Amino acid sequence: MVETLLEVRNLFKNFPVGSRFSRGGRQVVQALSDVSLDVYPGETLGLVGESGCGKSTLGRCLLRLYEVDGGKIIFKGHEITRMREAALRPLRAQMQMVFQDPYASLNPRRRVGDLIAEPLRVHGYEGSIQARLEELMALVGLAPEFLLRYPHEFSGGQRQRIGIARAIALNPSLVIADEPVSALDVSVQAQIVNLLSDLRARLGMALVFIAHDLSVVRQIAERVAVMYLGTIVELGPAEAVFAAPAHPYTAALISAVPEPDPSRRAVRTVLQGEPPSPANPPSGCRFHTRCPIAQAVCKTERPVLRGVSGGQAVACHFPLG
């Protein structure tokens, strides 16, 4: 049995919005609701869903950048959910993040070498920092002389490579990549995806790749978790999920991916309406207001993730297939 690197159990995260003095008082946005999943050493897990479904919030909760309101996060056998910062600090070196906007995540007033060296200095790297910086630049495909430049002197793709170099500086066991290519030109996206895939294989780290573009996720992920309105509705091997989706929402997302072969006519599943507000989610299955096969039970009983053929787990009363 493969040992688990990261275990997430029944995670909840709420955000208060508005003012308590406003009409109706302060509301609560349910960003995550009863989320459970595992991440295994050296794998790439794709986390997909529409904008606002909670993907980025989950990524930040996994690294304790957000505090959770309920549930457990266990990293390398340590429950870090409410671990004090002093105890958590040694583990932080083993879990890092690549952010969506490569420019916003880099201090424009500091040279690239200082930015990448910061985690090395903070965590007391014992080797030659200069040698490590040059090694990291080679790993991400940048020239060592770039260490003396500032972030504004680079293109978006180059800045994201700098962010990746910073994230892998301490050889982490887990990297969360939060939509790392969505702010980049299409011509550059494939280069960054290939770089992350190569680094994962070379360094042996686990990668959680967050994206809304399923064609990108299909290229890099070994397993896929599909999120809808703060919940995971399907989880399983990427090949099985893309070949035979078990949840109607997953099927709709996959049907929207452009077909590269113009001779093949793809059958589109068009979802009706907009996602409900996370401040007032529907009862029962949260997808039932847009589901083409919803029945009465879907409005009252919330489905739980359960195994189906193909190795997937699906939260649906009437799974497809």
Side-chain angles (χ1 to χ4, degrees):
M1 185 175 181
V2 179
E3 184 179 350
T4 304
L5 176 68
L6 180 74
E7 300 176 41
V8 180
R9 296 292 178 266
N10 311 112
L11 213 61
F12 289 84
K13 177 61 182 175
N14 299 326
F15 291 105
V17 293
S19 169
R20 67 176 185 271
F21 301 110
S22 61
R23 181 179 296 179
R26 176 171 288 187
Q27 289 184 306
V28 172
V29 172
Q30 300 178 27
L32 299 176
S33 181
D34 201 18
V35 172
S36 296
L37 57 81
D38 293 329
V39 180
Y40 299 100
E43 76 161 342
T44 299
L45 174 68
L47 190 59
V48 301
E50 294 171 294
S51 296
C53 71
K55 306 185 300 295
S56 294
T57 298
L58 177 57
R60 284 164 168 75
C61 286
L62 296 182
L63 299 189
R64 279 282 304 274
L65 299 181
Y66 289 159
E67 299 296 335
V68 301
D69 296 304
K72 293 182 179 181
I73 304 170
I74 302 171
F75 178 68
K76 286 191 166 183
H78 302 275
E79 186 180 343
I80 66 170
T81 322
R82 289 173 178 81
M83 184 180 288
R84 293 183 180 273
E85 187 60 36
L88 181 62
R89 184 172 177 176
L91 291 174
R92 285 202 180 280
Q94 291 298 305
M95 45 185 186
Q96 295 292 314
M97 192 164 205
V98 177
F99 294 92
Q100 178 178 1
D101 187 343
Y103 191 66
S105 64
L106 301 173
N107 188 334
R109 298 184 179 184
R110 301 183 64 185
R111 296 181 189 271
V112 165
D114 292 332
L115 292 169
I116 300 175
E118 184 176 25
L120 298 172
R121 295 191 176 104
V122 167
H123 291 279
Y125 183 73
E126 296 180 354
S128 167
I129 289 182
Q130 182 60 34
R132 179 58 176 162
L133 291 178
E134 294 177 3
E135 180 184 7
L136 289 167
M137 294 297 275
L139 281 172
V140 299
L142 295 176
E145 54 265 30
F146 288 176
L147 291 167
L148 299 176
R149 298 185 183 180
Y150 291 91
H152 73 271
E153 300 180 72
F154 297 93
S155 66
Q158 289 173 323
R159 284 196 290 264
Q160 194 59 287
R161 290 174 185 267
I162 294 167
I164 293 170
R166 179 184 167 97
I168 66 171
L170 292 163
N171 283 325
S173 302
L174 173 67
V175 171
I176 310 289
D178 183 14
E179 304 234 23
V181 299
S182 63
L184 304 178
D185 293 338
V186 175
S187 59
V188 181
Q189 290 182 3
Q191 298 175 21
I192 299 301
V193 170
N194 290 336
L195 173 62
L196 286 169
S197 182
D198 290 344
L199 289 173
R200 182 205 61 78
R202 181 181 299 186
L203 303 178
M205 65 190 186
L207 177 66
V208 176
F209 189 91
I210 300 172
H212 62 269
D213 188 338
L214 269 73
S215 60
V216 174
V217 172
R218 189 171 193 171
Q219 179 182 345
I220 192 173
E222 296 163 311
R223 289 195 305 133
V224 175
V226 182
M227 291 193 69
Y228 181 81
L229 207 63
T231 65
I232 291 181
V233 297
E234 186 163 357
L235 177 64
E239 184 177 347
V241 170
F242 281 99
H247 197 283
Y249 176 63
T250 309
L253 291 180
I254 293 174
S255 75
V257 176
E259 174 56 59
D261 185 354
S263 65
R264 296 179 60 182
R265 293 186 177 181
V267 178
R268 305 294 187 197
T269 301
V270 180
L271 297 177
Q272 301 300 318
E274 296 293 326
S277 169
N280 186 28
S283 60
C285 175
R286 294 191 171 189
F287 185 60
H288 83 259
T289 58
R290 305 171 73 196
C291 182
I293 62 171
Q295 299 185 29
V297 66
C298 303
K299 300 178 182 180
T300 58
E301 295 185 19
R302 181 173 179 176
V304 296
L305 278 173
R306 57 190 177 93
V308 295
S309 60
Q312 294 125 284
V314 59
C316 181
H317 294 298
F318 306 100
L320 305 176

